[in-house]
Amino acid sequence: GAGVSQSPSNKVTEKGKDVELRCDPISGHTALYWYRQSLGQGLEFLIYFQGNSAPDKSGLPSDRFSAERTGGSVSTLTIQRTQQEDSAVYLCASTLGGDIGTQYFGPGTRLLVL
Amino acid sequence: RKEVEQDPGPFNVPEGATVAFNCTYSNSASQSFFWYRQDCRKEPKLLMSVYSSGNEDGRFTAQLNRASQYISLLIRDSKLSDSATYLCVVNLYNQGGKLIFGQGTELSVKP
């Protein structure tokens, strides 16, 4: 079956521009996560959606970052006024219900801010 | 101090070798533990969960020491295909599905 998909796969933008990154989770997965991975670094948690509950936004690094999940499925991560330090791979993952350990990751969006 | 710490490596080993990775976590409220594998320029994938009594999956053995807040992964009879970065991952009690990843340990298995 289809896995987690993300778009675009690569994005190059200029400093100060806004970007939107999209994630399509596995159908039926109720939880969706966004992470960021900078070069040579581990994954940094950003935000987590579980069903209809309020999202856990504790990992968002600044108010320039926001995310929404429409209809309990597709999610969009928006970065406003991008900075060079925002350059990273943005990874989305989804899980089925309470099986938190088995997170299925998408291929990521590689963002480069010039 | 990082919440999850790993030796970044790289570990360079010959085929057939046994290699062990260690990981420490700082928050005693950590309740669930996992090892993920990430191939170069690919997404992470779950390798195995880590249970209190220790668990084995083929050539892979995971151990947990809650008292020392320490997790290990042992790989026996290394294969070339084991070359990857191994990520130690913890989940904190009462924080839902939020996972905290270590920076990973790079393994390179040579012929």
Side-chain angles (χ1 to χ4, degrees):
Chain A
V4 177
S5 60
Q6 293 186 244
S7 61
S9 53
N10 292 280
K11 177 72 176 178
V12 180
T13 190
E14 293 179 349
K15 179 181 171 181
K17 301 280 189 183
D18 297 352
V19 295
E20 283 191 354
L21 312 179
R22 177 188 168 104
C23 172
D24 283 88
I26 293 172
S27 178
H29 279 195
T30 57
L32 184 149
Y33 311 80
W34 282 98
Y35 298 88
R36 162 168 90 170
Q37 188 170 33
S38 302
L39 189 63
Q41 301 297 312
L43 275 74
E44 176 189 3
F45 167 81
L46 297 177
I47 187 169
Y48 153 52
F49 298 88
Q50 171 62 61
N52 296 320
S53 302
D56 177 350
K57 304 180 182 180
S58 60
L60 294 178
S62 77
D63 59 9
R64 297 186 295 105
F65 288 72
S66 63
E68 61 178 24
R69 188 178 185 194
T70 54
S73 181
V74 172
S75 177
T76 302
L77 177 70
T78 301
I79 309 173
Q80 296 179 308
R81 306 181 301 282
T82 51
Q83 303 295 312
Q84 289 181 330
E85 61 263 29
D86 298 335
S87 297
V89 178
Y90 289 81
L91 290 155
C92 174
S94 69
T95 62
L96 181 63
D99 187 10
I100 56 170
T102 311
Q103 295 195 6
Y104 295 88
F105 282 82
T109 293
R110 286 172 173 74
L111 175 66
L112 177 61
V113 182
L114 299 176
Chain B
R1 181 185 173 188
K2 292 180 182 176
E3 292 190 78
V4 179
E5 294 207 58
Q6 297 181 250
D7 180 344
F11 283 52
N12 296 303
V13 304
E15 270 188 294
T18 295
V19 61
F21 304 137
N22 302 320
C23 168
T24 57
Y25 58 94
S26 60
N27 194 325
S28 59
S30 301
Q31 66 167 1
S32 302
F33 309 89
F34 313 92
W35 283 100
Y36 272 70
R37 170 191 169 131
Q38 186 172 25
D39 292 287
C40 186
R41 297 182 67 81
K42 297 287 189 181
E43 68 274 19
K45 292 183 180 178
L46 177 67
L47 177 65
M48 60 196 300
S49 301
V50 185
Y51 302 120
S52 296
S53 55
N55 49 298
E56 189 174 304
D57 183 1
R59 297 182 294 108
F60 299 83
T61 300
Q63 297 279 351
L64 168 64
N65 184 323
R66 286 187 185 272
S68 302
Q69 296 184 192
Y70 170 95
I71 306 160
S72 66
L73 176 69
L74 183 77
I75 306 176
R76 292 184 301 277
D77 188 23
S78 300
K79 311 292 184 191
L80 296 177
S81 57
D82 293 334
S83 298
T85 296
Y86 290 83
L87 304 170
C88 177
V89 185
V90 307
N91 169 252
L92 298 179
Y93 174 75
N94 220 22
Q95 290 210 11
K98 177 179 173 181
L99 295 183
I100 301 169
F101 285 76
Q103 68 177 92
T105 298
E106 183 182 349
L107 172 66
S108 179
V109 182
K110 305 292 187 183

